[in-house]
Amino acid sequence: IRGIDEKDLGSIYGDVLPEDFLKSGLIPEFVGRLPVVGAVSNLDAEALIEILVEPKNALTRQYSRLFEFEDVELRFSDEALHAVAKEALKRNVGARGLRIILEELMLDLMYTIPSQREIQECVITEDTVVRRSQPVTTLRKAG
């Protein structure tokens, strides 16, 4: 639809009626088989961050659990979560794209951290997300 911002499309789709499909050229037999028209709106950065941390099986919890097997505490800074959400919005990949972005970040770490037994904690920072730099690590105290 010309002249309409993409962010407004979700609200417009919510007002669609079966008659609108008929006017667009769909045959009545097909439209009659669509009992419900559902419209969804785009997710914003805050919603994407909630998806990263809130659910019981949230992506950040999954990665933290994987690192726990290696006796390493994994944390994501708030700025890192914002950067991941911002990148998902920039790529226009939505919630499903969050997994792709985190996999890009975590792939090398999942192979290198287990071999470095002296690492106690690993913190994913904004710099790690934006510039793909190494995360901040804390070493175990000798003793």
Side-chain angles (χ1 to χ4, degrees):
I1 302 174
R2 292 182 191 165
I4 304 269
D5 187 16
E6 264 189 54
K7 295 176 184 174
D8 297 335
L9 284 178
S11 62
I12 292 172
Y13 291 149
D15 297 330
V16 171
L17 299 172
E19 295 81 32
D20 297 325
F21 291 120
L22 293 172
K23 290 177 188 173
S24 297
L26 293 176
I27 60 173
E29 292 81 5
F30 183 72
V31 174
R33 297 196 182 265
L34 301 172
V36 177
V37 176
V40 295
S41 58
N42 292 336
L43 297 171
D44 62 355
E46 292 303 317
L48 292 172
I49 292 169
E50 280 186 41
I51 291 168
L52 282 171
V53 296
E54 291 295 324
K56 190 169 86 171
N57 64 342
L59 292 171
T60 54
R61 292 182 191 194
Q62 290 177 27
Y63 281 108
S64 294
R65 185 75 174 133
L66 287 172
F67 276 62
E68 280 179 19
F69 292 134
E70 303 301 330
D71 202 24
V72 175
E73 182 185 350
L74 175 68
R75 290 189 307 112
F76 291 83
S77 71
D78 290 339
E79 295 81 14
L81 295 173
H82 282 279
V84 169
K86 187 175 176 181
E87 188 165 332
L89 289 172
K90 183 175 81 174
R91 292 183 187 186
N92 200 24
V93 291
R96 292 189 184 269
L98 294 173
R99 178 176 293 280
I100 296 166
I101 294 167
L102 283 182
E103 282 180 4
E104 289 171 1
L105 290 172
M106 303 302 296
L107 186 63
D108 289 340
L109 291 175
M110 291 184 349
Y111 286 105
T112 58
I113 295 288
S115 64
Q116 300 176 16
R117 292 283 175 204
E118 68 277 2
I119 294 179
Q120 178 179 353
E121 181 182 45
C122 179
V123 180
I124 306 300
T125 63
E126 180 181 21
D127 205 42
T128 307
V129 177
V130 175
R131 294 182 185 84
R132 300 295 195 250
S133 65
Q134 290 299 312
V136 176
T137 55
T138 305
L139 303 178
R140 297 183 195 286
K141 294 181 179 167

